[in-house]
Amino acid sequence: SISQIPCNPGSYQPFTGQSSCIDASPGYYTSALASTSQSPCTVGNFQPNSGQTRCLAADPGYYVDTNASTSQTACVLGTYNPEIGSNSSLSCLESSPGFYVPVNGSSNQLVCLPGTYQPNSAQSSCLDADSGYFVNSYQATSQEPCAQGTYQPQAAQIGCYNAEPGY
């Protein structure tokens, strides 16, 4: 050969006298021609594949808290993260009272529907209103008792029934 060939982005070669380039490892990347080393993905980023030219930012609902990571970590039940590229579990926010998060890796919290309520934070579900009680609003943090002269025999209801004549 009368010339040498540069390693393409996504590969590197730290040694002299070589006949090929080395693919960047998972968790690493190379973005320039003729790289002599690979660079680790920084916190908030990851790369599951080899031979890559860049890292991937952590998705909403996830975080990456180590360098050279090959994967991202999901926020747990009852927590959520709306941001991209988060670098700590502290980025996972607890659901607020009146809301819940039912799955891992969620980017948002869900509102409790009428007939349900949730007085606590960091919860994965809402509570059904008990019989004798009702919830007639969204994101309720408590249930209301049926007033005198009314009743409710079922759970998870949005109102109470008036007592009938003779009762």
Side-chain angles (χ1 to χ4, degrees):
S1 180
I2 59 171
S3 64
Q4 55 185 356
I5 301 169
C7 292
N8 288 323
S11 66
Y12 69 105
Q13 182 49 262
F15 305 112
T16 60
Q18 301 302 304
S19 60
S20 64
C21 299
I22 303 167
D23 283 345
S25 304
Y28 293 79
Y29 72 101
T30 61
S31 59
L33 276 173
S35 292
T36 59
S37 63
Q38 58 182 348
S39 301
C41 295
T42 57
V43 292
N45 300 277
F46 71 106
Q47 181 50 259
N49 302 310
S50 62
Q52 299 303 302
T53 60
R54 65 181 180 91
C55 298
L56 306 172
D59 295 318
Y62 293 79
Y63 64 93
V64 178
D65 59 1
T66 59
N67 288 320
S69 182
T70 60
S71 62
Q72 54 186 346
T73 303
C75 294
V76 297
L77 294 175
T79 70
Y80 68 102
N81 179 12
E83 303 296 328
I84 295 171
S86 295
N87 60 14
S88 169
S89 61
L90 298 177
S91 301
C92 299
L93 309 172
E94 292 184 347
S95 63
S96 305
F99 294 82
Y100 68 108
V101 179
V103 295
N104 291 324
S106 182
S107 62
N108 62 293
Q109 57 183 348
L110 303 177
V111 65
C112 291
L113 300 175
T116 70
Y117 70 104
Q118 181 49 261
N120 302 310
S121 59
Q123 299 302 302
S124 60
S125 64
C126 297
L127 304 171
D128 287 344
D130 296 323
S131 55
Y133 292 78
F134 70 98
V135 176
N136 65 359
S137 63
Y138 291 88
Q139 70 188 60
T141 58
S142 63
Q143 58 183 346
E144 300 294 325
C146 292
Q148 289 183 340
T150 68
Y151 71 105
Q152 178 51 260
Q154 299 176 352
Q157 300 302 303
I158 62 172
C160 301
Y161 301 112
N162 289 326
E164 298 174 6
Y167 291 85

